[in-house]
């Protein structure tokens, strides 16, 4: 069994289980939470693949058959694209089933972070999403020719272990968000924190990434993923500030 596929699958299942458990604790129907989780996972996979193709659209326009090739299908895609697609799908399902929107997102945020942390270890095992060459003591050298064959990983060169860096960030996010879920003062506080923290970390991690497929915007000033990261930070910050501003007057009048 491929380590990458196993860890990604485990990340999805564990993340879903935690999200449904958190939902039940917040009084959200567990069955609807499961359905929401499955929908989010499927749309996240599609969104990650779509953005993966869009950021290298020139190549896929010239080689349209490659869109459905095994190499493209087995690629993990771009996580930011999956996250955006998952958020859109979640918004649609939550509205259709009249679930408490922000409370539901709060319940799912810790599971999303932990699932992503586990999945990134799978990326490390496969050699994808690699970093730039480095002389630091933490540099990781890939030697398996299969890594280069399947995903183009540079061999015999110490690289920044960006996969493990992002996994560590998301693991820390999981513990912080789980604590915040039990201490939150308003709905939207947890998902707002997640969007802000992940967007902030991913923006800077992009400077260490060296694999292709994340696109360029503003004449190469930043990657497409960095632009999405900025939008996540803004969205999380605005959500946090608006909701906390409404809570403050209510607390002051008690």
């Amino acid at each position: 069994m491929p380590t990458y596929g196993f860890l990604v699958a485990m990340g999805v299942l564990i993340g879903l289980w935690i999200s449904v458990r958190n939902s039940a604790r917040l009084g959200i129907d567990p069955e609807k939470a499961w359905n929401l989780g499955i929908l989010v996972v499927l749309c996240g996979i599609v969104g990650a693949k779509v953005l993966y193709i869009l950021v290298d659209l020139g190549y896929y326009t010239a080689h349209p058959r490659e869109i459905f090739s095994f190499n493209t299908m087995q690629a993990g895609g771009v996580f930011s694209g999956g996250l955006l697609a998952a958020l859109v799908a979640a918004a649609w399902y939550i509205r259709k089933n009249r679930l408490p929107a922000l409370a539901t997102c709060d319940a799912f945020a810790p599971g999303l972070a932990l699932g992503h942390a586990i999945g990134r270890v799978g990326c490390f095992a496969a050699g994808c999403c690699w970093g730039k060459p480095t002389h630091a003591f933490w540099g990781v050298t890939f030697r398996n020719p299969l890594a280069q064959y399947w995903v183009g990983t540079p061999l015999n060169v110490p690289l920044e272990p960006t996969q493990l860096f992002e996994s560590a960030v998301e693991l820390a996010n999981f513990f912080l968000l789980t604590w915040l879920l039990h201490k939150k003062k308003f709905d939207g506080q947890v998902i707002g924190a997640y969007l802000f923290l992940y967007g902030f970390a991913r923006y800077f991690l992009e400077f260490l990434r060296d694999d292709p497929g994340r696109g360029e915007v503003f004449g190469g000033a930043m990657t497409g993923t960095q632009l999405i990261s900025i939008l996540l930070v803004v969205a999380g910050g605005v959500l946090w500030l608006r909701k906390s501003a409404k809570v403050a007057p209510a607390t002051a009048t008690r």
Side-chain angles (χ1 to χ4, degrees):
M1 182 179 294
T3 306
Y4 173 82
F6 173 77
L7 288 174
V8 169
M10 288 300 297
V12 169
L13 293 176
I14 293 174
L16 274 177
W17 176 72
I18 290 174
S19 298
V20 172
R21 187 183 65 172
N22 288 340
S23 298
R25 288 179 176 176
L26 296 179
I28 299 168
D29 186 346
E31 182 178 353
K32 290 182 178 180
W34 270 114
N35 292 337
L36 172 60
I38 294 171
L39 175 66
V40 163
V41 169
L42 294 176
C43 290
I45 292 172
V46 173
K49 298 288 186 185
V50 169
L51 187 56
Y52 179 81
I53 292 170
L54 288 178
V55 296
D56 202 8
L57 189 59
Y59 172 80
Y60 286 103
T61 300
H63 307 86
R65 292 185 179 180
E66 285 297 312
I67 294 176
F68 302 101
S69 68
F70 179 76
N71 285 344
T72 301
M73 291 298 102
Q74 64 87 35
V78 180
F79 178 77
S80 300
L83 179 60
L84 291 178
L87 289 174
V88 171
W92 172 81
Y93 184 89
I94 288 171
R95 182 170 183 177
K96 180 181 179 182
N97 290 273
R98 298 181 179 179
L99 296 174
L102 293 178
T104 302
C105 290
D106 284 346
F108 272 73
L112 176 60
L114 182 59
H116 191 198
I118 297 172
R120 278 304 183 198
V121 178
C123 291
F124 178 73
C128 61
C129 307
W130 65 86
K132 294 179 178 179
T134 180
H135 296 293
F137 70 89
W138 56 72
V140 174
T141 302
F142 293 92
R143 305 186 189 280
N144 194 326
L146 287 176
Q148 186 175 64
Y149 177 77
W150 288 116
V151 294
T153 311
L155 301 181
N156 304 314
V157 179
L159 305 174
E160 297 279 3
T162 49
Q163 313 95 326
L164 298 183
F165 291 158
E166 190 164 355
S167 179
V169 166
E170 284 291 65
L171 185 61
N173 282 343
F174 165 70
F175 287 113
L176 176 61
L177 296 173
T178 299
W179 173 82
L180 187 60
L181 187 66
H182 292 86
K183 302 290 184 179
K184 70 172 187 171
K185 298 180 180 179
F186 55 88
D187 289 343
Q189 189 173 10
V190 182
I191 187 62
Y194 173 74
L195 294 176
F196 183 91
L197 292 172
Y198 176 72
F200 181 84
R202 183 59 191 267
Y203 177 86
F204 288 102
L205 282 172
E206 280 293 294
F207 289 110
L208 299 178
R209 290 277 293 266
D210 201 34
D211 57 312
R214 296 183 317 285
E216 293 183 348
V217 294
F218 306 127
M222 65 176 64
T223 67
T225 300
Q226 285 180 314
L227 176 60
I228 293 174
S229 297
I230 292 173
L231 295 177
L232 293 178
V233 169
V234 171
V238 169
L239 177 60
W240 184 291
L241 291 175
R242 289 188 63 182
K243 290 296 179 179
S244 61
K246 292 180 180 179
V247 171
T251 304
T253 57
R254 291 180 181 178

